[in-house]
Each structure stands twice: as C-alpha cells, then as structure tokens.
Amino acid sequence: MKTVNNFVLPGHPMFQDSVRAFLPRKVVIPFRQSSEAEYSCGFQPGDIVREGQIIASPKNFADGANIHSSVPGKILSIFKCTLPNGTLGNAAEISTDGAFSYLGKKLPSVDWNFLNTETLLEEFKVKGIVNTFRKKTESLCAQITRGNLVKERFVIVRMFDEDPSRFTDSFIAKKFTSEVVQGALICCKAFSAKGIVFALPKKSDIEISTEFFGNVPFLFVNADTEKYPCGFMQNLLRTIRNASKNSEFSKVNSKCLFLDPETALSVFEAVVKGIPVIERYVHVHGSCLKSVGMFKARIGASIKSLVEQCGGFKISPSKIVVNGMITGMVASTLDIPITKSIKSLEFVPATELCVQDEKNCIRCGKCRNVCPEGLSPDLLYKHLVENYHLPKELCATSFLCSHCSVCNSVCPSRLPLSQTIALL
C-alpha cells in the first residue's frame, strides 16, 4: 500500500477542551441530513416545538433518521435552504424561545445492557443517529439492518480523523473515551457482532479501559497517522488483517460496521442519556480567523454565528472548506447551517490557495503512481466524462476507491478525479 509522509502539517495543537457555542436566536434545520431519503414535516409556521422534538421523519423509515428541533421555540417558516454540499433542501426556521428539555438538566442514565437489539435499533431511529464515518452520512439503523445479513460481523472504531487537517474525531476520542467505548459496544450489541476493534494512532495516550467489554472479544490495533492515507475503510482492513493473522479478527470485511468517535458518542448520549442528535462538535480554524476553537454547536446554527464567536475575520476568506482540506468540500455562503455531517470549518485566504483552473489531462501518470489502491484515476475519469470505452472489469475497480483524494492533490491539470470516481 502506498502512503505519503507529512501530507498535511497540522497548523494548531490538539484542543484540550471545547467551548459551547452561543445559543442562536434562530436556527435553520434541514430535513435531509443523511443519504438521499425524502422527509415529511407535520408542522406549519406558527407551531410551537420543544428542544429535541421530532420535526421531520423519513417517508420510508428504513432509509433515514428523524430530524429534531435543536432549540425550543416557534417555527417561523419552512423553506428551501442551501445545504453544505451545495444542493437545496427543505428546512424549518425556528425562533429560540421557551424552556429547554436537556440543556442544563441532570439527566438519569439507562443501563443499556438490559436493552435488546430491537429496542436499540428503534432508539437509533427515533433519536436521529447517523453514521459519519464515511464522507456520505447514512442512517445508523439502516446501515446495521442491512449489515445483519452478513455472516462475519465486526465493529471497527477509528479513534482519529481520516483527514489530518481536522481534529474533531481525535478530540472526541481523547476527551470522551469512556462514552465512545460504551457507544461502540452498544452498536456491537445492536449489530450482533462477533467482536470489536479499536484503531488507535501509534503515538497516542488514549487509554481504553476493558471493564466495559465483558464477554465481547476485542482487539486494539495501531495506525501510523503520520502517513496518509491510514484511516479509510481499506486502510483499516489491511491494518487489522496484518495484526490479527490466524485469529477470528482476520475475518473482518468491508460489510462490517465502521464507526467514528462522533457517531459512537451520539449513540451513548441517545441510548444512555436519552438525548437526540441536536448538537455537533465542530473544529473551527483557519488563518482568516482572529481565534480558533472546538465548538459544541446546535444543529441549525449558521456558520456565520461560529465565525462571530471566534471574533470575526482578520483576513477575508477566499474559501470556506467543510470537513477538511483533503476530503472536504467548499461551502458557498456563511448562512449555511450546521448539520449532522459537519465536523470542521476552515477559512482559507487566497494567498494559501493554489491555481485551481481545470485543464485537459496531460497523461503524466502521477495519479496512477500515487493511488494507494493501484487504480487508474485518469482512465476512470476519461470513461465517465469523455465516454471513453473501458472494459467492464476496469470500470468495476472504482468500488475499490477509498476517496482519499490523493489523486486530486497531485494532478497538474486540477481534474476532479476523486469526485468523478465517486460518481462512477
């Protein structure tokens, strides 16, 4: 497997703590926050909602996860807003007003060990949990339900960020280790998994207590996070298989359940504390800002509100990068709301951007040389964009892509190779 050393040099040290984002005067909560499921809303402008109340549900409940109001208040309007991926989707605009159901309250804990699989899956649905391990978020309940058809089932938890330009998952893994482990074990029970694997950075001081594991087989493996890529599904599968030869864990496969710390923490809070998904940890940084930080923000709060809490801009940003410089995407406006899929925001000035003008492929072969999966990104791009004929078997190699986007970074013609393979 090919890797790149020092692909990204972190600009900030790891955060030791987070800051609760200011409560917004109003929130805009998109109904579509996972997969492409269609949602229906039973509320009208003028209706009063509680913090954590379900405001939209997927029409086909197996396809999505409920959407909740992140604040108490009145629904001002239901309209189409711009989502982080640039598409339009229905959303509810809610004015904050009234008493909170969860914020500032001491909540009782539930012993999840006494809950059966069906109850846990129902909790995942009702509380609106999505799995953010991959770039495309998906209903956790739907993912587990499909995976239950697979014979060899394991849960794999990546305890760091797959994109080294952000720190969100790494922060959660370090700050809430116990909660993340319990959330992962809850998923292990819901998935009827044979065992659980935790992938830790080689240079890590995260200490995982085994007191929660009981009779669940477990394995700890180390990933070299100083090399890229190392945190995508294919990378983790190789690492686990190399560390578990001649053991039960050597049977891990791509149909297993892969989790990140943010998803596991959401599971813990939903099942043990009864809190639906109404907040997200967001790493806000970039040389354009007067200050940076790790924020616990309400879903539906605007990107602009987090910028204001950072003290505003000292340099006007040229791009707003969502979820990392390598694997992320560009947001078009500061008015875009925080969704379940947002982990980081980076504000980049023009001086730190290279020329992005797209040109024709010059057949340099750099994308093939650097691809860790041994693909031919240039040919796959040419097949989809230029209708260049490729054998069926070669087209099928697109499923091996880990979406690490290294091919994009080395392409002198600035072609969107990784995005094109994802479409293919």
Side-chain angles (χ1 to χ4, degrees), residues 268-420:
F268 173 84
E269 292 181 339
V271 175
V272 177
K273 295 296 183 181
I275 305 174
V277 182
I278 55 177
E279 291 183 304
R280 271 292 187 253
Y281 285 94
V282 183
H283 176 201
V284 183
H285 62 123
S287 56
C288 292
L289 295 167
K290 291 184 177 178
S291 62
V292 300
M294 185 70 67
F295 292 91
K296 191 175 186 181
R298 294 271 155 171
I299 287 177
S302 67
I303 293 177
K304 183 179 180 181
S305 67
L306 295 181
V307 171
E308 291 172 348
Q309 192 164 347
C310 288
F313 295 121
K314 59 182 179 182
I315 306 172
S316 179
S318 180
K319 283 191 177 181
I320 307 169
V321 180
V322 178
N323 289 349
M325 285 294 291
I326 306 173
T327 61
M329 54 193 169
V330 175
S332 58
T333 171
L334 290 172
D335 294 324
I336 287 175
I338 300 299
T339 65
K340 297 179 183 180
S341 63
I342 290 183
K343 293 185 177 184
S344 72
L345 299 168
E346 182 169 1
F347 299 88
V348 188
T351 54
E352 294 181 12
L353 295 173
C354 62
V355 177
Q356 297 292 324
D357 295 337
E358 187 176 320
K359 300 177 182 178
N360 293 328
C361 176
I362 61 173
R363 301 180 183 177
C364 63
K366 289 183 178 180
C367 59
R368 298 189 196 185
N369 291 333
V370 79
C371 179
E373 308 305 328
L375 307 185
S376 299
D378 56 333
L379 293 182
L380 295 171
Y381 175 87
K382 193 173 182 180
H383 169 73
L384 189 64
V385 176
E386 302 176 12
N387 293 320
Y388 180 76
H389 176 71
L390 286 181
K392 197 178 195 180
E393 294 76 15
L394 189 53
C395 292
T397 62
S398 61
F399 289 100
L400 300 174
C401 177
S402 63
H403 309 293
C404 66
S405 298
V406 174
C407 55
N408 284 15
S409 69
V410 299
C411 179
S413 298
R414 313 310 302 165
L415 298 176
L417 300 172
S418 178
Q419 294 87 336
T420 304

Side-chain angles (χ1 to χ4, degrees), residues 182-193:
Q182 290 183 73
L185 287 169
I186 292 171
C187 291
C188 198
K189 184 174 183 178
F191 192 46
S192 300

Side-chain angles (χ1 to χ4, degrees), residues 119-392:
T119 302
L120 291 175
L121 289 176
E122 187 66 20
E123 280 292 281
F124 296 170
K125 283 184 183 180
V126 173
K127 295 300 194 299
I129 299 175
V130 298
N131 189 355
T132 55
F133 175 87
R134 291 185 174 90
K135 189 173 182 178
K136 185 176 180 180
T137 59
E138 186 177 5
S139 161
L140 181 61
C141 178
Q143 200 173 11
I144 290 177
T145 301
R146 286 200 312 273
N148 278 331
L149 301 176
V150 181
K151 182 179 179 182
E152 303 295 343
R153 297 195 292 272
F154 295 88
V155 172
I156 296 94
V157 189
R158 181 190 62 217
M159 299 291 277
F160 55 92
D161 294 271
E162 83 280 14
D163 190 316
S165 67
R166 68 167 191 259
F167 299 142
T168 314
D169 283 320
S170 301
F171 168 78
I172 294 173
K174 176 71 182 300
K175 184 72 175 179
F176 305 101
T177 306
S178 174
E179 292 86 347
V180 169
V181 170
Q182 290 183 73
L185 287 169
I186 292 171
C187 291
C188 198
K189 184 174 183 178
F191 192 46
S192 300
K194 292 184 176 181
I196 188 167
V197 182
F198 287 90
L200 299 159
K202 277 187 177 179
K203 298 179 180 179
S204 172
D205 56 355
I206 296 176
E207 296 183 3
I208 298 179
S209 172
T210 58
E211 63 177 311
F212 301 110
F213 289 88
N215 296 323
V216 178
F218 62 90
L219 175 69
F220 298 151
V221 297
N222 293 319
D224 190 352
T225 54
E226 293 184 356
K227 295 180 179 180
Y228 182 86
C230 71
F232 296 93
M233 181 181 69
Q234 289 91 328
N235 315 133
L236 296 178
L237 287 175
R238 291 190 190 96
T239 301
I240 294 167
R241 287 167 182 165
N242 290 336
S244 61
K245 293 178 180 178
N246 302 320
S247 77
E248 188 73 9
F249 288 100
S250 63
K251 298 176 182 177
V252 294
N253 56 80
S254 60
K255 301 298 182 182
C256 292
L257 181 62
F258 290 79
L259 302 174
D260 57 1
E262 185 137 50
T263 302
L265 180 61
S266 294
V267 170
F268 173 84
E269 292 181 339
V271 175
V272 177
K273 295 296 183 181
I275 305 174
V277 182
I278 55 177
E279 291 183 304
R280 271 292 187 253
Y281 285 94
V282 183
H283 176 201
V284 183
H285 62 123
S287 56
C288 292
L289 295 167
K290 291 184 177 178
S291 62
V292 300
M294 185 70 67
F295 292 91
K296 191 175 186 181
R298 294 271 155 171
I299 287 177
S302 67
I303 293 177
K304 183 179 180 181
S305 67
L306 295 181
V307 171
E308 291 172 348
Q309 192 164 347
C310 288
F313 295 121
K314 59 182 179 182
I315 306 172
S316 179
S318 180
K319 283 191 177 181
I320 307 169
V321 180
V322 178
N323 289 349
M325 285 294 291
I326 306 173
T327 61
M329 54 193 169
V330 175
S332 58
T333 171
L334 290 172
D335 294 324
I336 287 175
I338 300 299
T339 65
K340 297 179 183 180
S341 63
I342 290 183
K343 293 185 177 184
S344 72
L345 299 168
E346 182 169 1
F347 299 88
V348 188
T351 54
E352 294 181 12
L353 295 173
C354 62
V355 177
Q356 297 292 324
D357 295 337
E358 187 176 320
K359 300 177 182 178
N360 293 328
C361 176
I362 61 173
R363 301 180 183 177
C364 63
K366 289 183 178 180
C367 59
R368 298 189 196 185
N369 291 333
V370 79
C371 179
E373 308 305 328
L375 307 185
S376 299
D378 56 333
L379 293 182
L380 295 171
Y381 175 87
K382 193 173 182 180
H383 169 73
L384 189 64
V385 176
E386 302 176 12
N387 293 320
Y388 180 76
H389 176 71
L390 286 181
K392 197 178 195 180

